[in-house]
Amino acid sequence: MALFITEGEVDRLLSFREAIEAVEEGFRLLAEGQAVNLPRRRAVVRGAVLHVLQGAVLGRYGVAGLKTYLSTREGARFVVLLFDVNGGDLLAIIEADRLGQKRTGAASAVATKYMAAGAETLGIVGAGRQARSQFEALVEVVRPRLVKIYSRRREHAGDFAEFVRRRGYDAVVADDYRSASAVDVLVTATNAAEPFIRGEYLRPGSHINAVGSNWANRAELTPDAVARADVIAVDDPVQARDEAGDLIRAGALDRAVPLADIVAGRVRGRPDASSITLFKSLGIAVEDLVAAKAVYDRAVKEGAGREIGFSGRWAPS
């Protein structure tokens, strides 16, 4: 039997802290050669794009699987298929929109833990669900005294600022990109096609989590902003060749190091306190799989999810 786990159950079963712990361990297993990540592949047809990310994670996870989603003008639908690598059983079919938000926030939290000098001030450009998930994950690893939020729609930024205040943090609406960027840790979580964060906006010692784009022809950071980074990390260097538009435009792909190597201590995440550091987040299968396994384990423990019959084998009657 496999479990079918809904979006609401995912949100309840997986905390941001648990997602961060899982994603951090996933990167460590990647560095140790105990995980395999295959870059996202896309099937593009008129009006729709099918995206597939796949991989396997050993260690205490022992799973293989994929996340797939179809994006259309009506939005996107996400699902993870999770298999046991030992017996081959399908463990779960998991609705994965909220899962993706939490694991993306978790990846930024891991990068911030290893690459930021401090985080008294946090800037977030964007005010959608992904931006809010970034905030919820980051405050698990830092405690900013001030959160600055910028959105081209000021009312959205105001709503987000109120969301932050309800969680016990001081928040203001920034007037522009420059103001939002004058912080210790900056997050860009937008759907912008053209870059808007310029090098002159960044101050020494800052860390940037750029999470908004995973297409080669889209970017949030201008080339001169990327050039100011002393260390550039990505969640998967191979996937970055096809998807990291910020780095592709800047001609900086050869400077990017795997975040896994930073987590494993092979590469320093920050040379000194005045360095500028950048994590270009793309979203990879290993992040999805470790988060999905954490959801599955909790579902089994709590009796959540709905059992469905699935053998995957045909047997003659």
Side-chain angles (χ1 to χ4, degrees):
M1 303 292 283
L3 284 183
F4 177 74
I5 302 173
T6 66
E7 292 285 359
E9 289 172 316
V10 169
D11 191 43
R12 179 176 64 82
L13 294 169
L14 182 68
S15 70
F16 278 96
R17 180 171 296 278
E18 290 164 335
I20 292 165
E21 291 172 355
V23 168
E24 183 173 5
E25 188 170 359
F27 281 120
R28 188 168 287 111
L29 291 169
L30 268 173
E32 295 171 356
Q34 294 194 68
V36 174
N37 188 79
L38 298 185
R40 183 182 350 249
R41 290 294 177 260
R42 292 180 167 112
V44 182
V45 296
R46 188 185 331 179
V49 182
L50 179 68
H51 315 249
V52 181
L53 303 87
Q54 57 185 309
V57 187
L58 302 180
R60 70 181 180 90
Y61 292 91
V63 294
L66 60 89
K67 180 172 82 173
T68 185
Y69 57 104
L70 184 74
S71 53
T72 70
R73 292 173 184 170
E74 303 302 317
R77 303 293 183 270
F78 302 80
V79 66
V80 166
L81 301 181
L82 193 68
F83 292 88
D84 176 9
V85 296
N86 296 310
D89 292 332
L90 176 66
L91 298 175
I93 301 170
I94 305 174
E95 293 184 340
D97 188 5
R98 187 59 170 156
L99 181 81
Q101 294 168 27
K102 288 193 172 186
R103 64 81 150 137
T104 303
S108 291
V110 172
T112 301
K113 174 180 176 180
Y114 287 91
M115 300 180 72
E120 289 194 2
T121 53
L122 169 63
I124 304 177
V125 179
R129 290 180 299 170
Q130 195 67 260
R132 294 190 181 206
S133 294
Q134 290 287 310
F135 164 76
E136 290 184 277
L138 285 169
V139 294
E140 293 290 340
V141 297
V142 298
R143 291 291 185 269
R145 60 173 177 78
L146 178 65
V147 181
K148 300 167 71 173
I149 298 165
Y150 179 75
S151 171
R152 288 181 297 178
R153 299 187 65 173
R154 193 171 181 87
E155 65 272 22
H156 289 180
D159 290 344
F160 188 5
E162 182 57 33
F163 172 87
V164 171
R165 294 187 197 107
R166 289 198 302 268
R167 279 152 179 77
Y169 295 88
D170 191 15
V172 297
V173 174
D175 292 327
D176 50 33
Y177 294 122
R178 183 188 292 272
S179 175
S181 302
V183 290
D184 298 321
V185 175
L186 172 65
V187 175
T188 57
T190 74
N191 60 4
E194 294 301 318
F196 49 82
I197 299 297
R198 301 183 180 278
E200 65 193 77
Y201 300 168
L202 304 176
R203 68 186 192 186
S206 61
H207 170 70
I208 305 103
N209 296 307
V211 306
S213 167
N214 55 29
W215 289 86
N217 62 349
R218 304 174 76 93
E220 297 175 306
L221 310 181
T222 61
D224 69 307
V226 175
R228 289 201 62 192
D230 297 289
V231 179
I232 300 172
V234 293
D235 33 17
D236 186 282
V238 177
Q239 192 166 318
R241 296 173 195 164
D242 295 328
E243 297 185 356
D246 308 77
L247 307 187
I248 292 168
R249 291 188 186 206
L253 285 173
D254 60 342
R255 296 181 53 210
V257 300
L259 181 58
D261 284 353
I262 293 175
V263 171
R266 296 174 182 170
V267 176
R268 292 180 66 187
R270 168 167 291 272
D272 56 58
S274 64
S275 299
I276 293 176
T277 56
L278 166 62
F279 171 53
K280 175 53 198 165
S281 175
L282 301 167
I284 63 173
V286 166
E287 296 165 6
D288 289 306
L289 293 176
V290 293
K293 184 56 161 53
V295 169
Y296 172 78
D297 287 344
R298 180 61 65 86
V300 171
K301 182 178 180 180
E302 297 188 7
R306 176 166 58 88
E307 288 190 342
I308 56 176
F310 181 85
S311 70
R313 299 183 180 92
W314 179 79
S317 58

